[in-house]
């Protein structure tokens, strides 16, 4: 079968790899000059099954309200005259009940577990390298109430088989000695030794090369304009590229356009509950390797992650629901560096941060949309929100199974016609 994958982020590229492995003829189309240059470019780097708790949870509505007017808020709704933002916000509120949160955690855990296993298998088979680290994820707390609140999420995750455990401050410092100067500010931590980290962009670029070796084509510098479709199916995708406008034909089409996915499907009557949640990162060179953390860290109070990627430190986080702009907001950028520097003053060269912003393709539940649509040969692999890197391999493998007519090895609520 000829499968056209729309989007060459970490999700589209992983889809292409597993589809090529399954023996399909694959072409990936993207507007950028290479794979992985939008949201998958400079994210937090965590492969974090332990972050399965979605933004939408019983405590979220109050926090979001409190944060509404704060320019440096970890999750900021910047209200706009945009019906898609309002309807997303309403659906987000509906996902905040305790039972919806439990359901969503179970779905996210299932896909994240499966994906982490698929990533390990891929690494073992191909030797793919991407500044990866398998030292786990340490989540530290500076607020006792938040630490106590985290016990419930930790217990739920343990019931699902995740090795997330609570650790004292002393134990946390033993796991990550670079935390020692900040120990007085920390009240406790949770640690998930089985979680990982690595550079999602390096991974995407390397996996694209491997997929090309398997025969997949990457058609870059091509802006996708629309799909030619009837109720019987999609016959082609209209793209504008270096040679002008053309229609690329295929037997099946996978929408993996991140935050832009819904803009493509809407004219076909498929409204996807995806809204961009803008986040920022700062990357600095490691200054003193002995003082820079090696274990990937999550700072609960600041809602940021700090990940060592080889000789670099990546600090990432914050979320802003404010539309599709990726302009850098200096207040939010500087807040990242200020926080990391205050905790690890000698770890990085803080004078030369490389700032970046990306748009998480967020669904109200943070459960991604993977599977079929009511248009017979149109498939979705999108809406991975805060965990696209974590869930990339699993979603790609499962989607390739579905397209090949096989039952995926993960118990997940795939989208259906
Ligand atoms: C600050 C931040 C920190 C994060 N940290 C983590 C983390 O630690 N762990 C984790 O698991 N996840 C993290 N994420 C989330 C993760 O980065 C995303 O979920 C993931 O990158 C989404 O991948 P994607 O392939 O769906 O989207 P993208 O990478 O955006 O790919 C979509 C592709 O579609 C292309 N495209 C879009 N529209 C068109 C068009 N019209 N024509 C042609 N091409 C088009 C784009 O060029 C792009 O290449 C973070 C995100 C942010 C912003």
């Amino acid at each position: 079968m000829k499968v056209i994958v729309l989007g060459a982020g970490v999700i589209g590229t992983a889809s292409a790899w597993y589809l090529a492995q399954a023996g399909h003829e694959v072409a990936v189309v993207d507007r950028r000059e290479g794979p992985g240059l939008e949201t998958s470019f400079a994210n937090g780097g965590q492969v974090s099954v332990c972050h399965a708790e979605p933004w939408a949870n019983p405590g979220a509505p109050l926090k979001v309200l409190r944060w509404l007017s704060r320019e440096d808020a970890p999750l900021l709704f910047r209200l706009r005259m945009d019906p898609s933002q309002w309807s997303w916000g309403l659906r987000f509120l509906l996902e905040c009940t305790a039972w919806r949160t439990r359901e969503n955690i179970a779905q996210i855990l299932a896909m994240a577990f499966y994906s982490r296993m698929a990533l390990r298998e891929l690494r073992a088979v191909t030797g793919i390298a991407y500044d990866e680290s398998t030292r786990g994820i340490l989540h530290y707390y500076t607020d006792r109430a938040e630490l106590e609140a985290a016990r419930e999420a930790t217990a739920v995750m343990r019931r699902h088989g995740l090795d997330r455990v609570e650790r004292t401050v002393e134990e946390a410092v033993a796991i990550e000695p670079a935390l020692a100067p900040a120990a007085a500010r920390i009240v406790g931590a949770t640690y998930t030794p089985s979680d990982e980290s690595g550079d999602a962009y390096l991974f995407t670029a390397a996996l694209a090369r491997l997929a090309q070796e398997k025969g997949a084509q990457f058609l870059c510098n091509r802006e996708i304009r629309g799909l030619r479709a009837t109720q019987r199916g999609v016959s082609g995708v209209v793209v504008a590229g270096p040679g002008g406008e053309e229609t690329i034909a295929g037997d099946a089409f996978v929408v993996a356009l991140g935050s832009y996915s819904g803009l493509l499907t809407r004219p076909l009557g498929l409204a996807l509950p995806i809204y961009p949640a803008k986040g920022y990162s700062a990357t600095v060179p490691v200054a003193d390797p002995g003082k820079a953390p090696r274990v990937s860290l999550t700072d609960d109070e600041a809602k940021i992650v700090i990940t060592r990627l080889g000789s670099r430190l990546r600090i990432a986080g914050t979320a802003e629901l404010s539309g599709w702009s990726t302009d850098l907001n200096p207040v939010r950028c500087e807040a990242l560096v200020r926080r990391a520097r205050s905790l690890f003053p000698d770890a990085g060269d803080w004078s030369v941060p490389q700032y970046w912003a990306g748009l998480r393709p967020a669904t109200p539940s943070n459960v991604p949309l993977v599977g079929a649509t009511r248009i017979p040969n149109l498939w979705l692999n999108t809406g991975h929100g805060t965990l696209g890197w974590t869930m990339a391999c699993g979603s790609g493998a499962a989607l390739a199974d579905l397209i090949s007519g096989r039952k995926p090895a993960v118990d997940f609520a795939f989208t259906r016609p």
Side-chain angles (χ1 to χ4, degrees):
M1 200 171 358
K2 181 170 182 189
V3 187
I4 313 295
V5 179
L6 309 175
V10 71
I11 300 296
T13 302
S15 309
W17 163 258
Y18 288 102
L19 284 161
Q21 286 280 87
H24 297 289
E25 186 187 339
V26 180
V28 188
V29 187
D30 201 285
R31 61 183 166 201
R32 300 298 296 264
E33 55 281 22
L37 292 174
E38 296 211 353
T39 309
S40 306
F41 185 66
N43 69 20
Q46 292 191 335
V47 177
S48 44
V49 181
C50 65
H51 283 179
E53 193 182 17
W55 282 336
N57 61 60
L62 251 182
K63 281 188 191 161
V64 170
L65 269 182
R66 257 205 330 262
W67 288 333
L68 262 182
S69 55
R70 253 184 58 191
E71 197 51 42
D72 62 345
L75 176 56
L76 175 64
F77 267 87
R78 226 184 260 287
L79 296 176
R80 305 168 79 222
M81 294 302 288
D82 175 357
S84 64
Q85 188 200 42
W86 287 71
S87 82
W88 191 96
L90 281 176
R91 293 176 77 157
F92 176 87
L93 283 178
L94 294 176
E95 297 294 339
C96 287
T97 60
W99 79 271
R100 287 301 309 149
T101 306
R102 269 195 307 277
E103 281 291 299
N104 294 334
I105 291 180
Q107 288 296 311
I108 295 166
L109 276 175
M111 185 55 90
F113 262 126
Y114 177 62
S115 197
R116 204 180 57 186
M117 189 190 68
L119 173 64
R120 286 180 186 155
E121 256 174 46
L122 176 69
R123 202 162 58 221
V125 171
T126 62
I128 189 168
Y130 47 93
D131 280 343
E132 70 277 13
S133 161
T134 53
R135 292 167 191 255
I137 293 180
L138 186 69
H139 193 140
Y140 57 84
Y141 297 81
T142 48
D143 182 309
R144 206 160 287 285
E146 292 293 339
L147 176 66
E148 272 157 28
R151 283 193 185 123
E152 197 184 323
T154 302
V156 173
M157 290 178 200
R158 286 188 68 77
R159 280 202 290 281
H160 284 273
L162 186 67
D163 55 348
R164 181 170 167 177
V165 280
E166 190 170 340
R167 290 289 177 237
T168 62
V169 177
E170 294 70 34
E171 288 166 338
V173 173
I175 293 164
E176 179 43 77
L179 266 179
R185 293 162 70 177
I186 298 172
V187 296
T190 64
Y191 180 48
T192 312
S194 60
D195 271 339
E196 306 190 354
S197 58
D199 187 321
Y201 168 69
L202 291 183
F203 174 85
T204 307
L207 190 61
R209 286 192 291 276
L210 291 169
Q212 278 168 307
E213 285 167 21
K214 293 262 169 210
Q217 265 186 304
F218 278 73
L219 307 171
C220 295
N221 295 309
R222 285 168 173 84
E223 176 77 32
I224 296 166
R225 292 272 166 85
L227 293 168
R228 291 211 191 287
T230 64
Q231 283 306 319
R232 279 182 293 130
V234 177
S235 56
V237 54
V238 182
V239 304
E245 197 166 282
E246 58 172 325
T247 300
I248 302 172
D251 303 308
F253 296 80
V254 177
V255 179
L257 295 172
S259 292
Y260 299 84
S261 300
L263 304 182
L264 183 74
T265 61
R266 198 183 297 150
L268 307 181
L270 290 177
L272 306 181
I274 295 176
Y275 197 79
K278 183 178 183 178
Y280 294 86
S281 74
T283 307
V284 300
V286 167
D288 181 342
K291 293 191 173 151
R294 288 190 169 275
V295 175
S296 182
L297 302 172
T298 301
D299 179 324
D300 190 75
E301 185 188 339
K303 302 276 179 277
I304 61 173
V305 304
I306 302 172
T307 299
R308 172 95 164 252
L309 300 168
S311 57
R312 298 163 294 150
L313 268 186
R314 169 81 42 81
I315 304 102
T318 83
E320 188 179 318
L321 285 106
S322 56
W324 277 262
S325 157
T326 52
D327 289 351
L328 294 173
N329 173 333
V331 176
R332 293 174 88 75
C333 289
E334 284 154 22
L336 291 174
V337 167
R338 199 171 42 249
R339 177 73 176 184
R341 185 180 195 163
S342 76
L343 293 163
F344 308 102
D346 304 318
D349 179 353
W350 305 108
S351 64
V352 284
Q354 276 186 330
Y355 291 125
W356 168 86
L359 303 175
R360 300 176 187 88
T363 61
S365 60
N366 210 32
V367 178
L369 308 172
V370 184
T373 67
R374 62 179 161 67
I375 300 175
N377 61 347
L378 185 66
W379 301 82
L380 301 175
N381 198 3
T382 186
H384 293 74
T386 55
L387 290 177
W389 171 210
T390 303
M391 297 199 265
C393 288
S395 313
L399 188 73
D401 279 337
L402 290 170
I403 293 178
S404 307
R406 292 192 299 260
K407 189 173 179 315
V410 52
D411 186 11
F412 180 77
F414 294 104
T415 57
R416 292 166 200 276

